[in-house]
Amino acid sequence: MDYNEFLNNKITSLEDEGRYRVFANLVRHAGNFPIATYRDDSGEKEVTVWCSNDYLGMGQHKSVIFAMNECLQHVGAGSGGTRNISGTSNVHVLLERELADLHGKEAALLFTSGYISNEATIGTLGALMPDCIIFSDSHNHASIIQGIRLSRCDKKIFRHNDVNHLEQLLAVSPTNVPKLVIFESVYSMDGDIAPIEKICDLADRYGAMTFLDEVHAVGLYGPKGGGIADRDGITDRLSIIEGTLGKAIGVMGGYIAANSTLVDVVRSYAPGFIFTTSLAPVLASGALASVRYLKSSSQLRRQHQERVESLKKRLSAANFPLISSNSHIVPIVVGDARLCKQVSDRLLDQHCIYIQPINYPTVPRGTERLRLAPSPWHTETMIDELVDALDEEWTRLDLKRAA
């Protein structure tokens, strides 16, 4: 077998479909979010970033940067190893306590990413509980799907946000086996929100545990920033809440929050936790400062929602094909991978606006889109510039508008 030819053909097939991924070389500027410097072979220029998952700009916040600088000077760069072998520092302990409190749970456990927290927790719990059946929303993230695979559990996929279909599946399942219902609060590509309370009602009725992925909601919703469950006052009804430190918190890492026994089991059995180097203390310190700030103040959350509504109104008035949602996610459907890439390239080259195209397998073929993520730091002038640029490129490419 000619291995190199085989691998080159795999890349060529992506290029032929128009979904070969190109990473933008960006330099962010502390204190100047969402402005960044874009670099390529022709030089560099200043651009406005409209697709960052640092939803509140906390990665640039002075309290976070100060905490990380202080920690770096006092502790150094690395963590020293796995949590068991010299890799646990005081800031890890403090951050886990803060995250447990954020979600009204007894305990929390840190992971190196949100992906790993899903994969390790689901894979471990599913494997430990005999004859466990996992019920998973059809739109769940790839990390959840991988965790289910690792668990080797019997799985039932229910239609997206369809509580009637979930109940049908629960009703015909054996009553005497463990059950785990896994779903997200805010689905990141469409921006829709799960019926959390109704799913909890079903879980109670059929004796199932619940696992809620809040990664696209933590920091953004609720009086403390605990997510949609915090906003709705139902954190106590969830068995496990999973979140990330790499989106609205603005740093890096993932975690789960649950009762102390469940957390201890995952800590003690999950290979994805046991055998990996812990988060660098400097990252944990920045995340701790960010969580504490967002728990104490709702100002950025209010400003964020104001910008989201302003952008949605402007885009709707210009008849862009938005996917309607009640969240901060603002997707505009293009419906073709090549055209989606063309729009993205033109926005960057001609308008100094950076929006990464979202293509298959992240979204189904035929639903390729631009996914906008407004922040509290995007000004009304930036919104005007974005809408005008989109309007120009939509017209130039003769793309579909909303009816």
Side-chain angles (χ1 to χ4, degrees), residues 90-131:
N90 185 54
V91 71
H92 292 115
V93 175
L94 294 176
L95 179 55
E96 285 173 339
R97 289 175 182 169
E98 204 73 43
L99 292 168
D101 178 74
L102 177 67
H103 296 291
K105 298 299 183 185
E106 292 177 351
L109 188 66
L110 289 172
F111 294 84
T112 50
S113 73
Y115 187 106
I116 298 299
S117 58
N118 273 337
E119 180 185 81
T121 302
I122 296 166
T124 298
L125 288 178
L128 287 176
M129 294 189 291
D131 302 318

Side-chain angles (χ1 to χ4, degrees), residues 1 5 48 109 112 118 166 184-185 187 231 254 274 282 307 310 367 382 391:
M1 180 180 186
E5 181 182 7
T48 304
L109 188 66
T112 50
N118 273 337
L166 174 59
E184 302 178 33
S185 58
Y187 287 85
R231 182 197 70 179
I274 296 170
V282 66
R307 290 293 183 269
S310 179
T367 70
M382 291 176 182
D391 190 62

Side-chain angles (χ1 to χ4, degrees), residues 160-317:
H160 179 51
N161 281 347
D162 189 336
V163 291
N164 291 325
H165 188 216
L166 174 59
E167 180 163 26
Q168 291 170 15
L169 296 174
L170 286 165
V172 297
S173 298
T175 59
N176 60 340
V177 300
K179 303 176 186 67
L180 178 61
V181 180
I182 307 175
F183 58 109
E184 302 178 33
S185 58
V186 176
Y187 287 85
S188 63
M189 289 301 120
D190 290 347
D192 51 341
I193 296 175
I196 300 175
E197 189 166 18
K198 292 181 180 179
I199 291 176
C200 288
D201 290 342
L202 288 178
D204 291 344
R205 189 178 309 158
Y206 291 96
M209 296 175 65
T210 49
F211 183 109
L212 177 64
D213 178 321
E214 286 262 36
V215 297
H216 288 276
V218 168
L220 301 175
Y221 301 91
K224 295 194 299 183
I228 299 297
D230 180 32
R231 182 197 70 179
D232 296 347
I234 52 175
T235 55
D236 61 310
R237 301 198 62 190
L238 282 308
S239 307
I240 308 161
I241 295 177
E242 183 268 346
T244 182
L245 306 172
K247 293 183 170 60
I249 304 303
V251 190
M252 180 183 176
Y255 64 90
I256 60 167
N259 69 52
S260 56
T261 302
L262 189 148
V263 168
D264 198 18
V265 165
V266 176
R267 183 189 70 87
S268 302
Y269 282 91
F273 174 81
I274 296 170
F275 298 108
T276 192
T277 301
S278 64
L279 279 180
V282 66
L283 295 173
S285 183
L288 178 62
S290 180
V291 171
R292 285 176 171 171
Y293 178 85
L294 293 173
K295 285 171 71 174
S296 67
S297 173
S298 296
Q299 180 181 357
L300 284 180
R301 284 191 284 280
R302 288 194 299 268
Q303 292 174 350
H304 181 234
Q305 289 300 317
E306 289 169 2
R307 290 293 183 269
V308 169
E309 290 308 308
S310 179
L311 177 61
K312 286 181 177 180
K313 286 178 182 178
R314 288 295 313 279
L315 292 170
S316 295

Side-chain angles (χ1 to χ4, degrees), residues 24 27 32 35 38 44 56 64 77 112 140 150 204 231 254 278 285 290 298-299 308 322 333 356 387-388 391:
V27 179
N32 199 26
I35 303 300
Y38 169 73
E44 62 180 44
L56 300 177
V64 174
T112 50
N140 276 341
L150 289 175
D204 291 344
R231 182 197 70 179
S278 64
S285 183
S290 180
S298 296
Q299 180 181 357
V308 169
L322 298 178
V333 176
Q356 186 71 3
V387 175
D388 289 345
D391 190 62

Side-chain angles (χ1 to χ4, degrees), residues 80 143 362:
S143 58
T362 307

Side-chain angles (χ1 to χ4, degrees), residues 2-3 107 145 256:
D2 187 330
Y3 298 107
I145 295 170
I256 60 167

